[in-house]
Amino acid sequence: MLIAGNWKMHKAAPDEARALSESVVDAVGAPEVQVAVCPPFTGLAAAAEALDGAPVHLGAQNMHAEGEGAFTGEVPAGALRAYDCRYVILGHSERRAYYGETDDDVAEKARQALRRELVPIVCVGESLEERRDGRAQDVVARQVQTALDGLPIGDPSRLVVAYEPIWAIGTGESAEPEQAQEMHAFIRETLIEQHGESVGGAVQILYGGSMKPHNAEALLAQPDINGGLIGSASLEGESFAGIVEAGEQVT
Ligand code: PGA
């Protein structure tokens, strides 16, 4: 079980990132599940200091697929490792929608993340229109297949997948637990076809999209929901810790 906070473009200044990291550490105590926070790049150094020695991992929200070069404004995987990042979120729907990231881009980044010993949290999920048209599974299958095909994952702990239906992100309306479970089971089957039972059967699949302390337990109790990727509820130590506690209840 992994509960990861995606701070998006919030708490980006060092002082803000430090304060929220400290409040998360206080609020989660000694968690019985894996916990991570993913601040903006500019908050990573301060967050890393605040998390030093605490049972909370650090992650980033994006990276470039190349190791270095003439890519103004971009950040390579090696630099994230220098801040002790364990995770990197890749292919979030906001990056796909606003910055034109494609499944192929996500595939290249995932490959580079693995090379640099980062654990990619690869995000997939359909829009409301795609769901209404009955195409949700096709869209998610394409995203998983393209982003993860041929990815050299010998150990299931080297990869995390996050199912984030776009219509549930930031809307306050999460997917129903059974609805999310149905898609998670489908993603699980796809991962098993791609990577075999021992890897595909054990990769953590997180749910993201308006997960809050009040709805987390029902979602996390589903057999193929192995954690959460939390946006707005991760911006306060108490609410984030409420979701961590829900995870502890069902494990
Ligand atoms: P939300 O965001 O929890 O605010 O819906 C989740 C995400 O985008 O990762």
Side-chain angles (χ1 to χ4, degrees):
M1 174 81 60
L2 167 66
I3 307 296
N6 173 12
W7 296 2
K8 309 193 179 185
M9 202 173 72
H10 299 286
K11 312 292 178 186
D15 287 356
E16 295 172 313
R18 182 176 294 108
L20 180 52
S21 300
E22 284 168 356
S23 130
V24 166
V25 169
D26 284 350
V28 301
E32 288 162 25
V33 298
Q34 293 168 287
V35 178
V37 294
C38 304
F41 292 135
T42 48
L44 286 175
E49 269 173 35
L51 300 178
D52 190 29
V56 176
H57 289 290
L58 190 60
Q61 300 173 17
N62 182 31
M63 51 168 264
H64 196 272
E66 297 293 329
E68 63 177 356
F71 302 105
T72 301
E74 292 291 325
V75 175
L80 304 180
R81 287 294 300 158
Y83 290 116
D84 269 347
C85 283
R86 175 179 167 83
Y87 298 101
V88 60
I89 298 171
L90 296 180
H92 189 281
S93 59
E94 287 153 16
R95 296 216 52 87
R96 294 175 189 258
Y98 308 145
Y99 308 104
E101 269 190 28
T102 64
D103 292 325
D104 289 328
D105 295 332
V106 179
E108 275 185 46
K109 290 182 180 194
R111 206 166 269 279
Q112 173 72 352
L114 287 178
R115 254 185 238 125
R116 294 303 182 128
E117 300 197 336
L118 287 163
V119 177
I121 300 178
V122 174
C123 300
V124 298
E126 80 286 358
S127 67
L128 189 57
E129 196 189 345
E130 288 161 342
R131 177 160 283 265
R132 285 196 178 135
D133 290 352
R135 289 188 289 129
Q137 289 196 347
D138 291 348
V139 168
V140 169
R142 187 206 70 222
Q143 290 171 333
V144 171
Q145 276 156 1
T146 313
L148 305 180
D149 218 22
L151 208 61
I153 319 157
D155 172 351
S157 70
R158 303 308 304 164
L159 171 70
V160 176
V161 175
Y163 170 57
E164 298 206 306
I166 296 169
W167 45 271
I169 294 177
T171 59
E173 279 189 42
S174 97
E176 292 302 323
E178 300 71 26
Q179 197 179 25
Q181 164 57 27
E182 195 183 345
M183 186 63 90
H184 279 236
F186 175 72
I187 293 171
R188 174 76 62 213
E189 274 172 39
T190 310
L191 289 172
I192 290 173
E193 274 169 31
Q194 258 184 337
H195 298 285
E197 179 68 46
S198 64
V199 171
V203 165
Q204 286 173 316
I205 308 175
L206 313 185
Y207 168 80
S210 300
M211 191 186 275
K212 312 281 181 199
H214 73 86
N215 62 18
E217 194 171 326
L219 286 159
L220 295 171
Q222 300 296 318
D224 290 298
I225 301 186
N226 315 118
L229 185 56
I230 323 299
S232 58
S234 73
L235 296 176
E236 278 182 9
E238 284 304 320
S239 55
F240 187 58
I243 298 175
V244 171
E245 274 163 36
E248 289 168 334
Q249 292 299 322
V250 299
T251 35

